Amino acid sequence: MKMKIIRTESEYEQALAYLDTLMDSAPGSSEEEELELLAMLIEKYEQERYPIDLPDPVDAIQFRMDQQNLTRQDLIPYLGSQSKVSEVLNRKRPLSLAMMRALHEGLGIPAEVLLREPGKELPVQRFNPADFPLREMVNGGYFPGIISIRKAREQVEELLEHLLSPLDTLVSQMVYCRNGTYQAEVSSGLREEKEPYRIQPSKKIAEQAVPELRCINENALRAWQARVLHICEAQKIGHYKHSAFTTEFICKIVQLSVFPNGALLARQVLLDSGIHFAILPHLPQTYLDGACFKTSSGNPVVAMTLRYDRLDHFWFTLAHELAHVCLHLNKTNYAFFDDMENELSQTGNQQEQEANQLSRDLLIPPEDWQNKKDELLATMDAQLVKNAAKEWNISPAIVAGRLRWETRDYSILGDLLGSGAVRKMFQ
């Protein structure tokens, strides 16, 4: 019989019949070599045509219990508690990755059996749950369907893997500005980084050794970004054309501030223009007001936290992030994360200086500001502020916020800022 790869059931039957004739081959003979080769071909065909199903994970656990004379009490170190042991063995609770890893390492149950995937290995744990503000993330809806911290901790590895998965294919260099500039180079996806998303301060900031800079939780920052990207996946947006995203376009968006629902109108215009827009509260130790970055497909994302629920703060932050889109996002892979409380009083790096300047000029053109500045600063009169805003076709909150920043007197014109007006729009 000619030796060849077995492809059909007929060839398989012929091979089995011929194999029987070779079973009594003398050791070392050519027939024995033929027997071994034919047996390999038959085995390969059987593996492909009649694969053996992996045992059920619970059956495998019970088999190991019988082998090693283990009781249910003995499984607690691997599954977590007596109730979890009972639920797993009664097939009322699926095995988590943490349970699988413990059973694999402690009882030697093959990973492919626990995962129910032939040849599959358990993934390396990439994230330390202690590095993330899980309670705030649960309360903020970061894990759909999970409403308690207890449930989140039981599945934390899987939940973090799913949450942070959009960052795996994101290529960006992080720029975080708070009393200066933080940067972290991320040359490619999360899986290729030995220390993913480690933020290092610039040399100038490192030399200053400002204590509060050490309080930034970069893991929380990335979790926030990942959640924004999940929100973006569900958004329907128009076609983005960078050449159409001009300073005139941004000015038209700013002029929507005159309407009571101007923030909502701005969001819709951005979505229609191919720019993702998301509102997501900040997480602890992120000190974040706004961000600007690209999705893995290249569409711009503008995201805000409403950390300060005021109209003036909303429009200043939005204009700053849109300035980044206009000036920088098409030329770089930067991901900008901004603390606007310090942004306008700090020089930052070149990109931040440029965004600061452009956003101020687009909110209130320099020549208009120079014509009214002295009168407004001298009187701080609310009616004059409203008149100027009407003339410039913008919200009085923007003018009031500019005057407060110019004078560094944050006790004035509070009634014009639109406090509490933004968040309720996006509820």
Side-chain angles (χ1 to χ4, degrees):
M1 179 180 176
K2 182 180 179 181
M3 296 297 159
K4 62 178 183 178
I5 295 175
I6 302 171
R7 302 185 186 279
T8 67
E9 192 68 15
S10 175
E11 292 174 349
Y12 174 63
E13 295 293 342
Q14 292 176 15
L16 287 176
Y18 186 60
L19 185 71
D20 285 339
T21 68
L22 299 174
M23 295 304 292
D24 296 326
S25 300
S29 65
S30 60
E31 287 80 6
E32 184 186 42
E33 291 184 1
E34 195 175 11
L35 171 67
E36 292 177 354
L37 178 58
L38 184 58
M40 292 174 60
L41 293 171
I42 290 173
E43 182 182 9
K44 181 178 184 298
Y45 178 81
E46 289 176 342
Q47 288 176 345
E48 294 176 353
R49 185 68 181 269
Y50 310 111
I52 299 175
D53 291 335
L54 291 170
D56 177 80
V58 175
D59 291 340
I61 295 171
Q62 292 173 334
F63 177 73
R64 188 67 84 229
M65 291 173 68
D66 292 339
Q67 277 187 320
Q68 301 184 11
N69 294 319
L70 300 177
T71 67
R72 290 193 171 202
Q73 192 75 17
D74 295 324
L75 293 183
I76 291 177
Y78 308 106
L79 302 182
S81 69
Q82 186 66 56
S83 62
K84 290 179 183 177
V85 170
S86 178
E87 290 171 347
V88 167
L89 294 182
N90 290 324
R91 293 180 169 82
K92 293 181 179 180
R93 174 190 288 270
L95 291 171
S96 67
L97 283 174
M99 291 176 179
M100 293 180 192
R101 195 170 283 111
L103 291 166
H104 175 64
E105 295 173 358
L107 299 182
I109 300 176
E112 64 175 1
V113 172
L114 295 168
L115 292 166
R116 307 200 73 173
E117 294 186 50
K120 187 77 170 179
E121 296 292 334
L122 285 165
V124 176
Q125 185 173 2
R126 297 196 293 158
F127 310 111
N128 181 0
D131 294 336
F132 296 85
L134 288 179
R135 185 174 300 279
E136 289 81 2
M137 290 163 68
V138 169
N139 293 338
Y142 280 59
F143 310 120
I146 302 298
I147 60 175
S148 73
I149 186 66
R150 181 180 64 83
K151 287 290 185 183
R153 285 174 176 150
E154 290 175 358
Q155 308 172 44
V156 66
E157 189 173 347
E158 294 92 329
L159 293 174
L160 288 175
E161 280 287 345
H162 175 70
L163 171 68
L164 297 166
S165 60
L167 301 181
D168 289 346
T169 56
L170 203 63
V171 180
S172 63
Q173 175 175 324
M174 175 185 257
V175 178
Y176 178 72
C177 282
R178 181 169 194 258
N179 283 336
T181 302
Y182 269 40
Q183 294 185 0
E185 292 189 2
V186 182
S187 59
S188 57
L190 189 75
R191 297 185 184 278
E192 298 182 17
E193 294 299 312
K194 294 181 179 179
E195 293 186 271
Y197 307 130
R198 181 61 54 192
I199 300 178
Q200 298 292 343
S202 64
K203 182 177 179 182
K204 177 180 177 182
I205 300 303
E207 290 172 350
Q208 291 176 352
V210 181
E212 67 174 329
L213 293 180
R214 293 194 293 268
C215 296
I216 298 168
N217 184 340
E218 63 266 27
N219 293 292
L221 201 63
R222 285 302 190 178
W224 182 89
Q225 183 187 19
R227 179 60 183 147
V228 167
L229 288 169
H230 279 287
I231 293 172
C232 292
E233 288 174 357
Q235 291 181 337
K236 294 182 179 180
I237 61 172
H239 174 69
Y240 176 70
K241 188 176 181 180
H242 185 73
S243 59
F245 193 84
T246 62
T247 54
E248 291 78 9
F249 178 82
I250 301 176
C251 285
K252 291 180 179 179
I253 292 179
V254 170
Q255 289 172 357
L256 295 173
S257 65
V258 300
F259 298 102
N261 63 340
L264 289 176
L265 295 174
R267 175 179 66 176
Q268 193 58 53
V269 169
L270 291 174
L271 293 175
D272 292 343
S273 304
I275 300 172
H276 291 285
F277 182 85
I279 298 289
L280 186 67
H282 72 291
L283 289 171
Q285 293 184 290
T286 57
Y287 313 101
L288 186 63
D289 291 304
C292 175
F293 46 86
K294 289 185 285 191
T295 65
S296 57
S297 60
N299 281 87
V301 177
V302 171
M304 299 173 65
T305 68
L306 305 187
R307 184 161 63 120
Y308 300 105
D309 185 6
R310 304 193 316 262
L311 284 173
D312 70 312
H313 199 268
F314 173 87
W315 291 105
F316 272 111
T317 304
L318 179 61
H320 182 90
E321 304 309 334
L322 293 179
H324 277 312
V325 175
C326 183
L327 296 172
H328 308 127
L329 214 58
N330 199 47
K331 303 175 184 177
T332 70
N333 282 323
Y334 284 177
F336 296 95
F337 297 86
D338 298 305
D339 171 8
M340 297 303 296
E341 183 179 16
N342 292 290
E343 198 76 41
L344 296 179
S345 61
Q346 300 292 328
T347 56
N349 66 0
Q350 180 181 347
Q351 289 82 14
E352 293 306 323
Q353 292 181 49
E354 293 170 350
N356 282 339
Q357 188 61 57
L358 180 59
S359 60
R360 283 198 294 268
D361 292 348
L362 294 178
L363 288 166
I364 304 176
E367 59 275 16
D368 291 342
W369 181 248
Q370 289 303 319
N371 291 336
K372 296 282 187 180
K373 176 182 176 181
D374 292 340
E375 181 183 11
L376 292 170
L377 290 173
T379 63
M380 293 297 176
D381 182 74
Q383 189 56 52
L384 288 178
V385 169
K386 293 177 182 178
N387 293 341
K390 185 176 182 180
E391 180 181 336
W392 298 333
N393 200 25
I394 57 176
S395 168
I398 296 175
V399 183
R402 178 67 176 270
L403 288 168
R404 285 157 60 95
W405 175 73
E406 290 271 350
T407 61
R408 302 299 193 271
D409 184 353
Y410 298 102
S411 65
I412 61 174
L413 302 173
D415 293 340
L416 298 181
L417 300 179
S419 297
V422 185
R423 189 169 292 131
K424 62 184 179 182
M425 284 193 215
F426 292 95
Q427 287 176 348

